[in-house]
Amino acid sequence: MAENGEEKLLAVARHIAKTLGHNESMADDILQIFSNFDGRFSREKLAEGQAGEDGSGVATLERALNSIDGQISRFVSADQPIWADPADSASFLDSIDELVTIIREWSPMASEKPIGVSLARADEMMQQAMFRIEEEFRSLMERGAESFGQGGDSAAMNHRFDSEEEDDYDRDFQNGDDIQIPVAQPLTDYDLIIDALPSATINDLHEMAKRMLGAGFGKPCSHVYSACRREFLEESLSRLGLQKLSIEEVHKMPWQELEDEIDRWIKAANVALRILFPSERRLCDRVYFGFSSAADLSFMEVCRGSTIQLLNFADAIAIGSRSPERLFKVLDVFETMRDLMPEFESVFSDQFCLVLRNEAVTIWKRLGEAIRGIFMELENLIRRDPAKAAVPGGGLHPITRYVMNYLRAACRSRQTLEQVFEESNGVPSKDSTLLTVQMSWIMELLESNLEVKSKVYKDPALCSVFLMNNGRYIVQKVKDGDLGLLLGEDWIRKHNAKVDNTAAGMNGLGKTMKEKLKQFNMQFDEICKAHSTWVVFDEQLREELKISLGRLLLPAYGNFIGRFQNLGDIGKNADRYIKYGVEDIEARINELFKGTSTARK
């Protein structure tokens, strides 16, 4: 070996002298300099090889290639996996290293035809070696994942690794014929990192990757690595319940099914961004240690498909229906994306993942736009709600109950909504946030809508009852929750005063009706006393008169006392003023026109 090394050294010296020397005299001067520098470059030795330098250099190169060719050919043609035997894998890597060294040392003389031919042979040998190491790389990743998945229980997959901790794993795992790709199990604790391959396997993969990258085969190495790990991620998300759905399929899905799908998406997104992707980042960094660019590229190729699947679903939610009932699930998706932004920033921090990181931010912002759009749709729903039939008795209108309960539920996510509206282009007032402005506007729309609906009542008193009932309900709902914190004490005081004013008006009307009721009682008693002496002898005619009186009096009286009972404070004590009920009036009418016994005779 020492003799071969000296021959290569002399051949290189002669090549340099020949290349740099523009004429024979200059070449001799260069050889003299080499001779003075190192005794091995004596003029005699250099001169000996000068005449037949081509043959000597090629012979040295060919001897080295022949020696390595036998070793590499043996491994390339082997039927069994090379990495099944640590001694074989070490010998194969040593042969590749030696071939790399030969190519690197002789490449400066590649312009000389005989040496160029030999180097072409060396390149072909290297290509064959790389094809085989690529197969071994793929096989080792697959076998390593399978064996690690059969370690006995899921505890190994869920083990928390310290950044400086290295664990030794048994290389002799049980083999099986029907082994599925191992996947991460659903977890509630996201603060962990997993290694999906045994440490020994990772070390072997690193040694292979180092040779492939050093030989210029980085792309095939990255392709094989990415294909295997990508399949693992996709299967993991599938096991977490996440379906591969197009945007159109999401939009066509019934809402109840979509709610369930959103819950599964939230779980999958958290597991992916907090566990699976960081674990893949760690694995890439270990396999491609020392080759950061290759690690970044491979990591992007591994995670891109799964990341796009997650982002596409969130985007489908963002650009989907703005129906008000969807607000709360859209808020869930928005909050998940917001909470995962630090993970997007840290995990996808390299240049290759910049597109994924930016797309995540864009979709998160788009979800905020969707939430603001849902509130706009709520405004339209209130405006479009028609003033049709009046609510019986001036009671609570369904739109009032719906809007107030909706806003109370929405305000449970008050901090999120504050963030959503602050990110819009609106300008808050000095004393109000944009969310406060939005809520105040919705309340104003609701009150205007109720004013229009109150006009359906022909009776002014019942109109006031309607406004009073709905106004009181609104104030109570505001006071009892976060909505009151948004609208403020001033808003509550003003609307309480408005309800009180309506009630005061009702009390004034009640006094008038009370006086009318007193007069009715007195006159009715007098009339009944007088008419009880009147006589209608014909029974049929007498019944017709009583029916006619009942039809005329009973509905009007019933309506009157009904209104009276709804008049604020007076209405609460209506029984003190109502002497006769409707049934009492009807009974008194039935006693009329019978006369006295004397009159009948």
Side-chain angles (χ1 to χ4, degrees):
M1 291 296 292
E3 182 180 351
N4 288 339
E6 185 173 321
E7 288 180 1
K8 287 191 285 186
L9 188 61
L10 291 173
V12 170
R14 288 193 294 271
H15 176 74
I16 293 172
K18 181 178 179 181
T19 302
L20 298 180
H22 297 294
N23 52 52
E24 185 175 347
S25 175
M26 184 179 293
D28 289 340
D29 292 341
I30 293 172
L31 291 174
Q32 182 62 49
I33 293 173
F34 283 155
S35 177
N36 294 336
F37 176 74
D38 191 323
R40 289 175 295 177
F41 297 126
S42 64
R43 294 185 61 82
E44 292 76 12
K45 288 184 178 181
L46 291 170
E48 286 175 5
Q50 189 69 32
E53 66 177 9
D54 291 342
S56 175
V58 171
T60 301
L61 177 56
E62 284 295 320
R63 282 197 299 273
L65 291 178
N66 288 336
S67 174
I68 297 173
D69 190 15
Q71 301 174 50
I72 289 181
S73 296
R74 177 171 65 88
F75 289 117
V76 167
S77 59
D79 294 331
Q80 298 298 320
I82 299 173
W83 260 258
D85 185 340
D88 286 345
S89 61
S91 178
F92 185 43
L93 292 177
D94 288 343
S95 299
I96 292 175
D97 291 341
E98 191 172 352
L99 183 58
V100 169
T101 301
I102 291 173
I103 293 174
R104 183 175 63 249
E105 290 180 350
W106 288 90
S107 289
M109 293 171 278
S111 59
E112 298 180 18
K113 186 174 181 180
I115 293 178
V117 172
S118 296
L119 287 175
R121 177 192 171 197
D123 288 339
E124 185 177 348
M125 291 168 55
M126 179 62 74
Q127 192 170 27
Q128 292 176 355
M130 290 298 106
F131 286 155
R132 181 56 194 255
I133 205 171
E134 179 182 333
E135 293 177 5
E136 294 287 328
F137 190 88
R138 179 186 293 105
S139 176
L140 189 59
M141 287 199 69
E142 294 172 351
R143 287 189 289 112
E146 291 170 357
S147 61
F148 196 57
Q150 281 203 316
D153 56 34
S154 60
M157 291 293 288
N158 297 338
H159 179 73
R160 183 177 303 173
F161 289 92
D162 184 80
S163 59
E164 298 179 359
E165 178 185 7
E166 289 294 335
D167 295 305
D168 294 325
Y169 295 95
D170 187 359
R171 292 173 60 94
D172 300 322
F173 287 86
Q174 180 181 1
N175 292 321
D177 294 329
D178 300 323
I179 301 173
Q180 300 295 322
I181 296 174
V183 295
Q185 301 297 317
L187 301 168
T188 55
D189 178 13
Y190 298 125
D191 186 22
L192 57 88
I193 298 294
I194 59 174
D195 273 339
L197 296 174
S199 290
T201 300
I202 295 174
N203 293 335
D204 288 339
L205 291 171
H206 168 65
E207 294 299 324
M208 293 183 188
K210 184 165 67 174
R211 270 66 177 195
M212 294 182 76
L213 290 163
F217 281 75
K219 286 186 178 180
C221 179
S222 178
H223 176 75
V224 172
Y225 178 90
S226 302
C228 291
R229 298 310 305 163
R230 185 164 53 242
E231 187 176 357
F232 168 84
L233 278 183
E234 291 174 353
E235 192 70 21
S236 295
L237 292 180
S238 176
R239 293 290 179 86
L240 289 168
L242 190 65
Q243 303 182 59
K244 285 188 175 180
L245 299 169
S246 67
I247 290 178
E248 292 75 16
E249 288 173 325
V250 173
H251 290 169
K252 291 178 181 178
M253 187 176 293
W255 176 239
Q256 189 171 4
E257 293 181 17
L258 187 54
E259 286 184 302
D260 295 337
E261 192 66 28
I262 288 174
D263 291 338
R264 288 189 288 268
W265 177 89
I266 291 172
K267 181 192 297 184
N270 275 288
V271 171
L273 268 297
R274 299 182 191 275
I275 299 177
L276 295 178
F277 292 169
S279 299
E280 290 301 324
R281 178 78 257 186
R282 171 186 168 93
L283 184 60
C284 269
D285 289 342
R286 293 181 67 182
V287 171
Y288 292 101
F289 181 75
F291 302 92
S292 59
S293 182
D296 293 343
L297 177 60
S298 295
F299 174 71
M300 186 274 291
E301 290 293 341
V302 168
C303 297
R304 179 174 57 183
S306 296
T307 305
I308 290 174
Q309 181 183 355
L310 290 168
L311 292 179
N312 279 350
F313 182 85
D315 196 29
I317 299 300
I319 64 177
S321 169
R322 302 291 172 87
S323 180
E325 69 267 13
R326 299 194 172 206
L327 171 67
F328 306 101
K329 281 302 181 181
V330 177
L331 277 170
D332 288 344
V333 177
F334 175 88
E335 290 172 343
T336 300
M337 289 292 295
R338 177 198 62 196
D339 295 344
L340 290 176
M341 276 301 127
E343 279 68 30
F344 276 106
E345 293 289 339
S346 62
V347 173
F348 298 131
S349 59
D350 60 82
Q351 57 177 338
F352 296 106
C353 293
L354 179 62
V355 174
L356 297 177
R357 189 166 69 249
N358 290 343
E359 183 67 9
V361 173
T362 298
I363 292 173
W364 174 42
K365 301 287 186 184
R366 197 172 291 153
L367 285 163
E369 295 172 4
I371 292 170
R372 293 190 291 272
I374 288 174
F375 275 91
M376 292 179 63
E377 187 57 33
L378 177 63
E379 296 171 15
N380 293 333
L381 182 148
I382 296 171
R383 290 191 189 97
R384 292 193 299 260
D385 192 62
K388 294 181 179 178
V391 176
L396 187 65
H397 197 281
I399 190 69
T400 307
R401 181 181 288 107
Y402 174 82
V403 172
M404 296 311 301
N405 287 328
Y406 185 93
L407 294 182
R408 278 170 56 89
C411 285
R412 292 171 189 159
S413 302
R414 177 186 168 191
Q415 291 183 340
T416 299
L417 291 175
E418 292 275 15
Q419 180 182 10
V420 166
F421 282 94
E422 290 304 319
E423 290 175 353
S424 68
N425 295 324
V427 180
S429 64
K430 183 169 61 175
D431 301 323
S432 302
T433 66
L434 288 172
L435 179 59
T436 299
V437 172
Q438 176 66 52
M439 292 298 180
S440 299
W441 173 238
I442 292 176
M443 299 302 295
E444 185 176 335
L445 285 175
L446 176 60
E447 290 170 15
S448 298
N449 183 273
L450 292 172
E451 288 282 353
V452 174
K453 286 179 167 58
S454 71
K455 307 303 181 185
V456 175
Y457 296 97
K458 296 179 181 179
D459 186 342
L462 200 52
C463 171
S464 297
V465 169
F466 174 79
L467 291 175
M468 187 173 60
N469 285 332
N470 285 269
R472 181 67 70 187
Y473 183 86
I474 289 172
V475 172
Q476 289 298 330
K477 287 293 183 179
V478 169
K479 286 172 59 178
D480 294 342
D482 287 336
L483 191 54
L485 298 177
L486 277 174
L487 297 176
E489 289 297 327
D490 286 344
W491 189 97
I492 295 173
R493 277 195 296 271
K494 289 178 182 177
H495 284 74
N496 258 332
K498 186 176 179 180
V499 174
D500 291 342
N501 289 337
T502 303
M506 291 296 294
N507 288 334
L509 179 62
K511 291 178 181 179
T512 302
M513 294 184 71
K514 184 175 68 173
E515 292 300 322
K516 290 182 177 181
L517 187 59
K518 286 183 178 179
Q519 294 177 12
F520 173 85
N521 291 338
M522 293 173 59
Q523 292 179 11
F524 184 71
D525 286 341
E526 292 177 0
I527 291 172
C528 286
K529 184 177 180 181
H531 287 189
S532 64
T533 62
W534 296 8
V535 179
V536 176
F537 292 105
D538 185 86
E539 185 175 350
Q540 181 177 354
L541 181 59
R542 185 170 63 246
E543 290 301 319
E544 288 176 357
L545 282 173
K546 289 190 290 185
I547 290 172
S548 178
L549 281 172
R551 287 176 178 174
L552 181 66
L553 181 59
L554 293 177
Y557 182 76
N559 183 51
F560 181 87
I561 63 173
R563 289 161 52 197
F564 186 71
Q565 289 169 333
N566 287 318
L567 288 177
D569 293 335
I570 292 180
K572 294 178 182 177
N573 302 307
D575 292 341
R576 293 169 53 186
Y577 307 103
I578 300 175
K579 184 176 181 180
Y580 299 108
V582 174
E583 295 81 3
D584 298 328
I585 298 293
E586 185 176 13
R588 294 292 298 272
I589 291 174
N590 285 333
E591 295 300 320
L592 298 177
F593 310 121
K594 294 182 179 179
T596 64
S597 58
T598 304
R600 290 194 189 98
K601 291 178 181 177

